[in-house]
Amino acid sequence: MGALILLTALAPVSWGTTYAVTTEFLPPDRPLFTALVRALPAGLLLLALARVRPRGAWWWKSAVLGALNIGAFFPLLFLAAYRLPGGMAAVVGSVGPLFVAGLAALLLGERPTVRTLLTAVVGAFGVSLVVLEAVGALDALGVLAALASTASMSTGTVLTKRWGRPDGVGPLALTGWQLTAGGLLIAPLAVLVEGAPPALDAPAVGGYLYLALANTALAYWLWFRGIGRLTATQVTFLGPLSPLTAAVVGWAALGQALTPVQMAGMVLAFGATVVGQIGAGRGAARRVTAVKPFSSSEMTSRKDSMDVTGSALRR
């Protein structure tokens, strides 16, 4: 379980490098083109590797999940980042565990505990200390976009957990379906809003290759793989690792200073992530052990029944 959590955590850690790559290597003011290049090539690559197409209801399920996790999430996230000052978008996004806790209670039967809710609030507060600077009036559209992006990804996470995967289909194919569907949703919007693709130099090509392959194809495969094996609450508590990684990358690679308040926020947010994993893991274990074991008489009765059935079959 610990190895699975660590591998799943690599996804938000990778997403935390997106801001640095975008600002240092990519053309400015092309969020939709960047979202398209992240999603569609990665999705087509995974489809080619998996060589499995959706069947039956999974055509529309893949479209819904692709819209929630990719097609709507990417543009809304970029819109929020462009319209909100500093790290406000990251702060709004850090309330994702609260969204998931509510949705998981409705759709998955995972009842949130007081500990889970308090941990989510502490994590959001820690992230706010790391990324939030003094701000004036907030842009209403930016705040709505940030909330909508968080709600979109949270809903996609819970539905991915609820629907699971078709028999014989692995997380590679499921990830490819969603990335392709999301990319196809973004493509016409990118053309209508931003027009023709920009000219790309070598650093931009390298940046887009990194975003498409490591930051999207590999990271989302690890993410959806984790969703299939962990609880929805465990997965969403890994989300604060993204803004924390962005802060560390900014300090280590871009020369951005970290204040004592930011360091304290990092400790709080990381601590909330760890506590969230432990609490959610124990809750899942309690649900498993809560199943009433068979008594000795019931086991004997079941064994006798199986023996009779086996004899009948042999006859």
Side-chain angles (χ1 to χ4, degrees):
M1 181 65 71
L4 176 61
I5 292 174
L6 290 176
L7 286 174
T8 307
L10 290 177
V13 168
S14 172
W15 298 333
T17 66
T18 303
Y19 176 79
V21 171
T22 301
T23 56
E24 296 299 311
F25 301 110
L26 304 185
D29 302 325
R30 303 304 293 263
L32 291 174
F33 177 75
T34 298
L36 174 62
V37 174
R38 282 187 68 186
L40 191 55
L44 294 175
L45 173 63
L46 295 185
L47 284 182
L49 293 174
R51 302 176 66 86
V52 177
R53 292 182 299 175
R55 294 182 179 179
W58 273 97
W59 281 105
W60 68 263
K61 288 183 178 180
S62 298
V64 171
L65 294 178
L68 291 171
N69 290 319
I70 308 296
F73 174 69
F74 279 5
L76 287 169
L77 183 67
F78 280 119
L79 176 61
Y82 273 88
R83 298 188 70 96
L84 292 179
M88 178 58 73
V91 173
V92 177
S94 67
V95 303
L98 296 175
F99 277 94
V100 170
L103 290 170
L106 291 174
L107 300 178
L108 303 178
E110 295 182 10
R111 294 182 179 180
T113 64
V114 174
R115 177 178 178 172
T116 297
L117 297 177
L118 287 177
T119 304
V121 172
V122 171
F125 178 69
V127 170
S128 69
L129 293 181
V130 175
V131 301
L132 186 58
E133 300 174 356
V135 297
L138 296 179
D139 181 83
L141 180 59
V143 172
L144 288 175
L147 287 172
S149 68
T150 302
S152 179
M153 186 66 168
S154 299
T155 305
T157 298
V158 174
L159 284 180
T160 301
K161 182 69 178 177
R162 177 179 174 85
W163 288 340
R165 299 193 303 268
D167 293 337
V169 174
L172 192 71
L174 183 65
T175 306
W177 298 348
Q178 294 187 51
L179 287 171
T180 302
L184 292 174
L185 183 64
I186 297 171
L189 185 63
V191 173
L192 290 174
V193 175
E194 297 180 353
L200 303 179
D201 55 14
V205 171
Y208 280 125
L209 285 174
Y210 167 77
L211 290 181
L213 298 177
N215 188 268
T216 303
L218 177 59
Y220 272 93
W221 171 69
L222 290 172
W223 186 250
F224 292 131
R225 177 174 174 267
I227 290 176
R229 302 183 183 186
L230 300 171
T231 68
T233 303
Q234 281 180 300
V235 172
T236 193
F237 265 114
L238 297 175
L241 293 177
S242 181
L244 294 184
T245 302
V248 172
V249 170
W251 167 75
L254 305 180
Q256 299 173 354
L258 289 175
T259 67
V261 172
Q262 288 177 305
M263 295 295 293
M266 293 178 69
V267 172
L268 282 176
F270 185 75
T273 298
V274 174
V275 172
Q277 296 303 315
I278 296 173
R282 288 177 178 173
R286 284 195 297 270
R287 285 191 294 272
V288 172
T289 56
V291 178
K292 180 182 177 182
F294 295 124
S295 66
S296 58
S297 60
E298 288 174 325
M299 290 294 292
T300 302
S301 175
R302 283 175 174 267
K303 182 177 183 301
D304 293 341
S305 176
M306 291 175 65
D307 289 342
V308 171
T309 303
S311 300
L313 289 174
R314 285 192 294 272
R315 289 198 298 271

